[in-house]
PDB file of all heavy atoms in Angstrom:
ATOM      1  N   LEU X 724      50.906  55.936 110.602  1.00 89.00           N
ATOM      2  CA  LEU X 724      50.547  55.781 109.188  1.00 89.00           C
ATOM      3  C   LEU X 724      51.794  55.997 108.227  1.00 89.00           C
ATOM      4  O   LEU X 724      51.987  55.179 107.358  1.00 89.00           O
ATOM      5  CB  LEU X 724      49.471  56.800 108.817  1.00 89.00           C
ATOM      6  CG  LEU X 724      48.989  56.795 107.355  1.00 89.00           C
ATOM      7  CD1 LEU X 724      48.262  55.478 107.074  1.00 89.00           C
ATOM      8  CD2 LEU X 724      48.076  57.973 107.098  1.00 89.00           C
ATOM      9  N   LEU X 725      52.604  56.934 108.570  1.00 85.00           N
ATOM     10  CA  LEU X 725      53.739  57.269 107.733  1.00 85.00           C
ATOM     11  C   LEU X 725      54.835  56.176 107.830  1.00 85.00           C
ATOM     12  O   LEU X 725      55.387  55.757 106.849  1.00 85.00           O
ATOM     13  CB  LEU X 725      54.336  58.610 108.144  1.00 85.00           C
ATOM     14  CG  LEU X 725      55.488  59.141 107.312  1.00 85.00           C
ATOM     15  CD1 LEU X 725      55.022  59.368 105.873  1.00 85.00           C
ATOM     16  CD2 LEU X 725      56.003  60.406 107.917  1.00 85.00           C
ATOM     17  N   PHE X 726      55.131  55.724 109.030  1.00 87.00           N
ATOM     18  CA  PHE X 726      56.254  54.817 109.221  1.00 87.00           C
ATOM     19  C   PHE X 726      55.891  53.353 109.247  1.00 87.00           C
ATOM     20  O   PHE X 726      56.763  52.487 109.285  1.00 87.00           O
ATOM     21  CB  PHE X 726      57.008  55.166 110.557  1.00 87.00           C
ATOM     22  CG  PHE X 726      57.715  56.483 110.469  1.00 87.00           C
ATOM     23  CD1 PHE X 726      57.232  57.560 111.145  1.00 87.00           C
ATOM     24  CD2 PHE X 726      58.843  56.649 109.649  1.00 87.00           C
ATOM     25  CE1 PHE X 726      57.906  58.803 111.121  1.00 87.00           C
ATOM     26  CE2 PHE X 726      59.524  57.837 109.615  1.00 87.00           C
ATOM     27  CZ  PHE X 726      59.034  58.923 110.276  1.00 87.00           C
ATOM     28  N   SER X 727      54.590  52.988 109.232  1.00 89.00           N
ATOM     29  CA  SER X 727      54.221  51.582 109.325  1.00 89.00           C
ATOM     30  C   SER X 727      54.734  50.753 108.160  1.00 89.00           C
ATOM     31  O   SER X 727      54.979  49.514 108.337  1.00 89.00           O
ATOM     32  CB  SER X 727      52.720  51.487 109.508  1.00 89.00           C
ATOM     33  OG  SER X 727      52.089  51.927 108.296  1.00 89.00           O
ATOM     34  N   ASN X 728      54.772  51.301 106.999  1.00 89.00           N
ATOM     35  CA  ASN X 728      55.251  50.522 105.834  1.00 89.00           C
ATOM     36  C   ASN X 728      56.740  50.576 105.609  1.00 89.00           C
ATOM     37  O   ASN X 728      57.296  49.744 104.928  1.00 89.00           O
ATOM     38  CB  ASN X 728      54.541  51.037 104.565  1.00 89.00           C
ATOM     39  CG  ASN X 728      53.047  50.728 104.588  1.00 89.00           C
ATOM     40  OD1 ASN X 728      52.654  49.690 105.150  1.00 89.00           O
ATOM     41  ND2 ASN X 728      52.270  51.636 104.050  1.00 89.00           N
ATOM     42  N   ILE X 729      57.415  51.595 106.192  1.00 91.00           N
ATOM     43  CA  ILE X 729      58.834  51.769 105.987  1.00 91.00           C
ATOM     44  C   ILE X 729      59.674  50.741 106.773  1.00 91.00           C
ATOM     45  O   ILE X 729      60.693  50.245 106.266  1.00 91.00           O
ATOM     46  CB  ILE X 729      59.251  53.214 106.248  1.00 91.00           C
ATOM     47  CG1 ILE X 729      58.600  54.110 105.221  1.00 91.00           C
ATOM     48  CG2 ILE X 729      60.754  53.325 106.194  1.00 91.00           C
ATOM     49  CD1 ILE X 729      58.840  55.570 105.415  1.00 91.00           C
ATOM     50  N   ASP X 730      59.217  50.436 108.001  1.00 89.00           N
ATOM     51  CA  ASP X 730      60.005  49.535 108.816  1.00 89.00           C
ATOM     52  C   ASP X 730      60.167  48.152 108.182  1.00 89.00           C
ATOM     53  O   ASP X 730      61.303  47.626 108.147  1.00 89.00           O
ATOM     54  CB  ASP X 730      59.370  49.374 110.219  1.00 89.00           C
ATOM     55  CG  ASP X 730      59.610  50.619 111.054  1.00 89.00           C
ATOM     56  OD1 ASP X 730      60.611  51.290 110.845  1.00 89.00           O
ATOM     57  OD2 ASP X 730      58.778  50.887 111.983  1.00 89.00           O
ATOM     58  N   PRO X 731      59.126  47.504 107.704  1.00 92.00           N
ATOM     59  CA  PRO X 731      59.324  46.174 107.029  1.00 92.00           C
ATOM     60  C   PRO X 731      60.211  46.293 105.786  1.00 92.00           C
ATOM     61  O   PRO X 731      61.019  45.361 105.542  1.00 92.00           O
ATOM     62  CB  PRO X 731      57.904  45.724 106.608  1.00 92.00           C
ATOM     63  CG  PRO X 731      56.992  46.597 107.444  1.00 92.00           C
ATOM     64  CD  PRO X 731      57.701  47.843 107.767  1.00 92.00           C
ATOM     65  N   ILE X 732      60.110  47.380 105.030  1.00 94.00           N
ATOM     66  CA  ILE X 732      60.949  47.542 103.857  1.00 94.00           C
ATOM     67  C   ILE X 732      62.435  47.648 104.277  1.00 94.00           C
ATOM     68  O   ILE X 732      63.296  47.051 103.677  1.00 94.00           O
ATOM     69  CB  ILE X 732      60.512  48.753 103.050  1.00 94.00           C
ATOM     70  CG1 ILE X 732      59.088  48.548 102.461  1.00 94.00           C
ATOM     71  CG2 ILE X 732      61.502  49.146 101.946  1.00 94.00           C
ATOM     72  CD1 ILE X 732      58.486  49.800 101.838  1.00 94.00           C
ATOM     73  N   TYR X 733      62.685  48.455 105.317  1.00 94.00           N
ATOM     74  CA  TYR X 733      63.997  48.635 105.833  1.00 94.00           C
ATOM     75  C   TYR X 733      64.630  47.314 106.290  1.00 94.00           C
ATOM     76  O   TYR X 733      65.745  46.997 105.992  1.00 94.00           O
ATOM     77  CB  TYR X 733      64.013  49.667 106.947  1.00 94.00           C
ATOM     78  CG  TYR X 733      65.354  49.870 107.604  1.00 94.00           C
ATOM     79  CD1 TYR X 733      66.415  50.494 106.893  1.00 94.00           C
ATOM     80  CD2 TYR X 733      65.585  49.486 108.928  1.00 94.00           C
ATOM     81  CE1 TYR X 733      67.619  50.719 107.519  1.00 94.00           C
ATOM     82  CE2 TYR X 733      66.822  49.687 109.540  1.00 94.00           C
ATOM     83  CZ  TYR X 733      67.802  50.290 108.812  1.00 94.00           C
ATOM     84  OH  TYR X 733      69.012  50.456 109.415  1.00 94.00           O
ATOM     85  N   GLU X 734      63.829  46.527 107.045  1.00 94.00           N
ATOM     86  CA  GLU X 734      64.311  45.239 107.548  1.00 94.00           C
ATOM     87  C   GLU X 734      64.589  44.267 106.391  1.00 94.00           C
ATOM     88  O   GLU X 734      65.608  43.531 106.434  1.00 94.00           O
ATOM     89  CB  GLU X 734      63.308  44.675 108.512  1.00 94.00           C
ATOM     90  CG  GLU X 734      63.253  45.423 109.840  1.00 94.00           C
ATOM     91  CD  GLU X 734      64.589  45.553 110.514  1.00 94.00           C
ATOM     92  OE1 GLU X 734      65.355  44.559 110.579  1.00 94.00           O
ATOM     93  OE2 GLU X 734      64.876  46.610 111.021  1.00 94.00           O
ATOM     94  N   PHE X 735      63.697  44.278 105.406  1.00 96.00           N
ATOM     95  CA  PHE X 735      63.938  43.394 104.273  1.00 96.00           C
ATOM     96  C   PHE X 735      65.256  43.725 103.550  1.00 96.00           C
ATOM     97  O   PHE X 735      66.007  42.872 103.232  1.00 96.00           O
ATOM     98  CB  PHE X 735      62.763  43.480 103.273  1.00 96.00           C
ATOM     99  CG  PHE X 735      63.103  42.791 101.968  1.00 96.00           C
ATOM    100  CD1 PHE X 735      62.981  41.438 101.816  1.00 96.00           C
ATOM    101  CD2 PHE X 735      63.509  43.547 100.833  1.00 96.00           C
ATOM    102  CE1 PHE X 735      63.289  40.800 100.614  1.00 96.00           C
ATOM    103  CE2 PHE X 735      63.804  42.930  99.659  1.00 96.00           C
ATOM    104  CZ  PHE X 735      63.715  41.536  99.529  1.00 96.00           C
ATOM    105  N   HIS X 736      65.476  45.024 103.307  1.00 96.00           N
ATOM    106  CA  HIS X 736      66.675  45.404 102.568  1.00 96.00           C
ATOM    107  C   HIS X 736      67.950  45.266 103.379  1.00 96.00           C
ATOM    108  O   HIS X 736      69.004  45.064 102.769  1.00 96.00           O
ATOM    109  CB  HIS X 736      66.465  46.811 102.018  1.00 96.00           C
ATOM    110  CG  HIS X 736      65.598  46.885 100.830  1.00 96.00           C
ATOM    111  ND1 HIS X 736      66.060  46.582  99.573  1.00 96.00           N
ATOM    112  CD2 HIS X 736      64.271  47.148 100.730  1.00 96.00           C
ATOM    113  CE1 HIS X 736      65.065  46.705  98.735  1.00 96.00           C
ATOM    114  NE2 HIS X 736      63.984  47.059  99.414  1.00 96.00           N
ATOM    115  N   ARG X 737      67.853  45.247 104.685  1.00 96.00           N
ATOM    116  CA  ARG X 737      69.033  44.957 105.478  1.00 96.00           C
ATOM    117  C   ARG X 737      69.467  43.515 105.238  1.00 96.00           C
ATOM    118  O   ARG X 737      70.652  43.238 105.028  1.00 96.00           O
ATOM    119  CB  ARG X 737      68.763  45.175 106.952  1.00 96.00           C
ATOM    120  CG  ARG X 737      68.905  46.613 107.356  1.00 96.00           C
ATOM    121  CD  ARG X 737      68.659  46.857 108.804  1.00 96.00           C
ATOM    122  NE  ARG X 737      69.250  45.850 109.683  1.00 96.00           N
ATOM    123  CZ  ARG X 737      69.155  45.799 110.994  1.00 96.00           C
ATOM    124  NH1 ARG X 737      68.365  46.680 111.592  1.00 96.00           N
ATOM    125  NH2 ARG X 737      69.748  44.849 111.702  1.00 96.00           N
ATOM    126  N   GLY X 738      68.511  42.606 105.281  1.00 96.00           N
ATOM    127  CA  GLY X 738      68.802  41.183 104.996  1.00 96.00           C
ATOM    128  C   GLY X 738      69.249  40.954 103.510  1.00 96.00           C
ATOM    129  O   GLY X 738      70.157  40.184 103.264  1.00 96.00           O
ATOM    130  N   PHE X 739      68.618  41.628 102.643  1.00 96.00           N
ATOM    131  CA  PHE X 739      68.934  41.520 101.203  1.00 96.00           C
ATOM    132  C   PHE X 739      70.351  41.966 100.934  1.00 96.00           C
ATOM    133  O   PHE X 739      71.099  41.329 100.216  1.00 96.00           O
ATOM    134  CB  PHE X 739      67.921  42.323 100.357  1.00 96.00           C
ATOM    135  CG  PHE X 739      68.047  42.197  98.873  1.00 96.00           C
ATOM    136  CD1 PHE X 739      67.963  40.985  98.267  1.00 96.00           C
ATOM    137  CD2 PHE X 739      68.321  43.321  98.129  1.00 96.00           C
ATOM    138  CE1 PHE X 739      68.081  40.871  96.899  1.00 96.00           C
ATOM    139  CE2 PHE X 739      68.438  43.226  96.748  1.00 96.00           C
ATOM    140  CZ  PHE X 739      68.328  41.965  96.120  1.00 96.00           C
ATOM    141  N   LEU X 740      70.744  43.064 101.555  1.00 97.00           N
ATOM    142  CA  LEU X 740      72.098  43.579 101.363  1.00 97.00           C
ATOM    143  C   LEU X 740      73.136  42.591 101.902  1.00 97.00           C
ATOM    144  O   LEU X 740      74.148  42.314 101.269  1.00 97.00           O
ATOM    145  CB  LEU X 740      72.276  44.904 102.059  1.00 97.00           C
ATOM    146  CG  LEU X 740      73.686  45.561 102.021  1.00 97.00           C
ATOM    147  CD1 LEU X 740      74.095  45.802 100.558  1.00 97.00           C
ATOM    148  CD2 LEU X 740      73.743  46.803 102.817  1.00 97.00           C
ATOM    149  N   LYS X 741      72.852  42.027 103.070  1.00 97.00           N
ATOM    150  CA  LYS X 741      73.798  40.966 103.608  1.00 97.00           C
ATOM    151  C   LYS X 741      73.919  39.813 102.668  1.00 97.00           C
ATOM    152  O   LYS X 741      75.009  39.263 102.461  1.00 97.00           O
ATOM    153  CB  LYS X 741      73.315  40.521 104.960  1.00 97.00           C
ATOM    154  CG  LYS X 741      73.528  41.530 106.067  1.00 97.00           C
ATOM    155  CD  LYS X 741      73.002  41.030 107.410  1.00 97.00           C
ATOM    156  CE  LYS X 741      73.135  42.124 108.448  1.00 97.00           C
ATOM    157  NZ  LYS X 741      72.510  41.745 109.679  1.00 97.00           N
ATOM    158  N   GLU X 742      72.862  39.390 102.088  1.00 96.00           N
ATOM    159  CA  GLU X 742      72.869  38.237 101.161  1.00 96.00           C
ATOM    160  C   GLU X 742      73.652  38.568  99.867  1.00 96.00           C
ATOM    161  O   GLU X 742      74.432  37.759  99.385  1.00 96.00           O
ATOM    162  CB  GLU X 742      71.447  37.867 100.788  1.00 96.00           C
ATOM    163  CG  GLU X 742      71.392  36.522 100.032  1.00 96.00           C
ATOM    164  CD  GLU X 742      69.945  36.008  99.851  1.00 96.00           C
ATOM    165  OE1 GLU X 742      69.115  36.247 100.783  1.00 96.00           O
ATOM    166  OE2 GLU X 742      69.695  35.422  98.831  1.00 96.00           O
TER     167      GLU X 742
END
Side-chain angles (χ1 to χ4, degrees):
L724 179 66
L725 184 63
F726 292 108
S727 65
N728 292 326
I729 294 176
D730 287 333
I732 294 171
Y733 177 69
E734 290 304 317
F735 169 80
H736 282 279
R737 279 181 41 184
F739 184 60
L740 178 62
K741 286 178 185 175
E742 189 171 326

